[in-house]
Amino acid sequence: MSFFGKNIKKIRGIKGLSQEAFANVFHLKRATLGAYEEGRSEPKIDTIIKVANYFSISIDDMLTKDITINQLLRFDSDITTDVNQIVKAGFSEVPFVNALNSKIFIKKFKSSQSYSSLPKIKIPVEASVHLLAYTVQDLFMESNGEGLFLNDVVVGEHVAPKDLVQGDVVIVLLDEELFIRRFDSSDTGYNLLADHINIPPLLIPYNVSVYFWKVSYVFLKQYPKFASKLEAKINQLDADLKRLSSK
């Protein structure tokens, strides 16, 4: 049996929270929390992760150690039952660059590696000091009506080229330009590919200074198409059959 129930009971005592108040924060039933504390039931892994992350406790400590009061008193997070505060905690402030401020950002980032010139937007992503939000400014990553369109917002994390793999979508800072491409590499340099068939690849020699942000999140301005590839092939086959039968 784990120490989870004993530890959350100790946390409640220090924070002065009833079972109901604590349970509400983590979307649990009071009776369920009581069963955890009394050792009559063990929590699901997602519940363990939520509680451990909230109090900055390792999952291993939460499950295998009788956490001391001194440890608990050092935690920075204070539990709240305010729904608005809980919602806000799920949003991160991310530096935001678009057509209006990109030139200033490029100049300052290349000299100081700083995001201080940028405004910030709050979006529901995991916080990181190296995130950058960028507004799509062309149709280079659009193909057959799918992909990235004007004013879509992508969020990427600043990474070294060695941490990228073929096919990663990246925000690229090269010379005085900021743009989006699909990453690839060769013996002579980085191949930056557009999804649009009419845009040729861009080859960057390895000795050229370039910065990459690996795109992990996309916020679309228009409702995406969800047609499957199988459906597209069937539609194409149907069209070909109709064309042949009309001859």
Side-chain angles (χ1 to χ4, degrees), residues 8-108:
I8 59 175
K9 187 174 183 178
K10 191 175 294 185
I11 291 171
R12 281 202 308 103
I14 290 174
K15 300 297 182 181
L17 292 168
S18 66
Q19 283 187 337
E20 184 173 1
F22 189 99
N24 286 341
V25 173
F26 298 103
H27 307 292
L28 301 171
K29 294 181 180 179
R30 188 204 61 75
T32 301
L33 184 67
Y36 294 160
E37 292 185 356
E38 295 168 13
R40 293 183 286 107
S41 178
E42 289 293 328
K44 294 180 179 179
I45 186 62
D46 59 336
T47 299
I48 297 170
I49 292 171
K50 287 178 183 178
V51 175
N53 286 344
Y54 195 97
F55 291 101
S56 300
I57 310 171
S58 72
I59 293 175
D60 182 61
D61 284 353
M62 197 74 192
L63 295 177
T64 65
K65 296 180 180 179
D66 185 358
I67 299 174
T68 67
I69 293 177
N70 286 337
Q71 283 178 284
L72 294 173
L73 289 175
R74 289 199 299 267
F75 296 153
D76 295 329
S77 298
D78 287 321
I79 246 186
T80 176
T81 56
D82 184 340
V83 174
N84 291 326
Q85 291 300 321
I86 295 171
V87 170
K88 288 178 182 178
F91 283 70
S92 301
E93 289 191 340
V94 178
F96 178 59
V97 60
N98 57 22
L100 297 177
N101 60 16
S102 61
K103 295 301 181 184
I104 296 175
F105 165 69
I106 290 169
K107 181 178 179 180
K108 290 197 173 183

Side-chain angles (χ1 to χ4, degrees), residues 101-132:
N101 60 16
S102 61
K103 295 301 181 184
I104 296 175
F105 165 69
I106 290 169
K107 181 178 179 180
K108 290 197 173 183
F109 187 85
K110 291 175 70 174
S111 62
S112 64
Q113 307 287 292
S114 172
Y115 301 88
S116 60
S117 65
L118 295 176
K120 294 183 178 181
I121 57 173
K122 286 188 176 182
I123 49 181
V125 301
E126 186 177 348
S128 169
V129 295
H130 300 298
L131 289 181
L132 178 69

Side-chain angles (χ1 to χ4, degrees), residues 146 224-232 235:
E146 298 182 351
K225 294 181 178 179
F226 292 112
S228 68
K229 291 183 179 180
L230 177 60
E231 182 182 355
N235 290 338

Side-chain angles (χ1 to χ4, degrees), residues 70-247:
N70 286 337
Q71 283 178 284
L72 294 173
L73 289 175
R74 289 199 299 267
F75 296 153
D76 295 329
S77 298
D78 287 321
I79 246 186
T80 176
T81 56
D82 184 340
V83 174
N84 291 326
Q85 291 300 321
I86 295 171
V87 170
K88 288 178 182 178
F91 283 70
S92 301
E93 289 191 340
V94 178
F96 178 59
V97 60
N98 57 22
L100 297 177
N101 60 16
S102 61
K103 295 301 181 184
I104 296 175
F105 165 69
I106 290 169
K107 181 178 179 180
K108 290 197 173 183
F109 187 85
K110 291 175 70 174
S111 62
S112 64
Q113 307 287 292
S114 172
Y115 301 88
S116 60
S117 65
L118 295 176
K120 294 183 178 181
I121 57 173
K122 286 188 176 182
I123 49 181
V125 301
E126 186 177 348
S128 169
V129 295
H130 300 298
L131 289 181
L132 178 69
Y134 174 75
T135 302
V136 177
Q137 298 172 29
D138 55 47
L139 294 176
F140 288 9
M141 299 305 293
E142 177 273 337
S143 178
N144 297 320
E146 298 182 351
L148 298 176
F149 292 85
L150 294 174
N151 298 319
D152 287 346
V153 175
V154 298
V155 180
E157 184 171 9
H158 189 211
V159 296
K162 64 180 180 62
D163 296 322
L164 294 169
V165 298
Q166 180 180 356
D168 281 343
V169 176
V170 289
I171 305 169
V172 185
L173 172 53
L174 175 66
D175 297 329
E176 302 301 318
E177 291 187 82
L178 197 64
F179 53 90
I180 302 176
R181 289 292 192 279
R182 196 173 295 278
F183 180 85
D184 196 4
S185 60
S186 65
D187 293 337
T188 57
Y190 306 115
N191 283 322
L192 303 181
L193 310 174
D195 285 355
H196 198 290
I197 60 173
N198 294 326
I199 308 300
L202 178 62
L203 178 62
I204 304 175
Y206 286 127
N207 61 350
V208 172
S209 179
V210 60
Y211 303 92
F212 296 105
W213 287 262
K214 180 180 176 181
V215 173
S216 300
Y217 307 96
V218 179
F219 298 88
L220 304 177
K221 287 290 184 179
Q222 65 178 25
Y223 194 76
K225 294 181 178 179
F226 292 112
S228 68
K229 291 183 179 180
L230 177 60
E231 182 182 355
K233 289 181 178 179
I234 291 174
N235 290 338
Q236 183 62 50
L237 180 60
D238 184 55
D240 290 343
L241 289 173
K242 289 181 179 178
R243 178 173 53 81
L244 291 172
S245 63
S246 64
K247 290 183 176 181

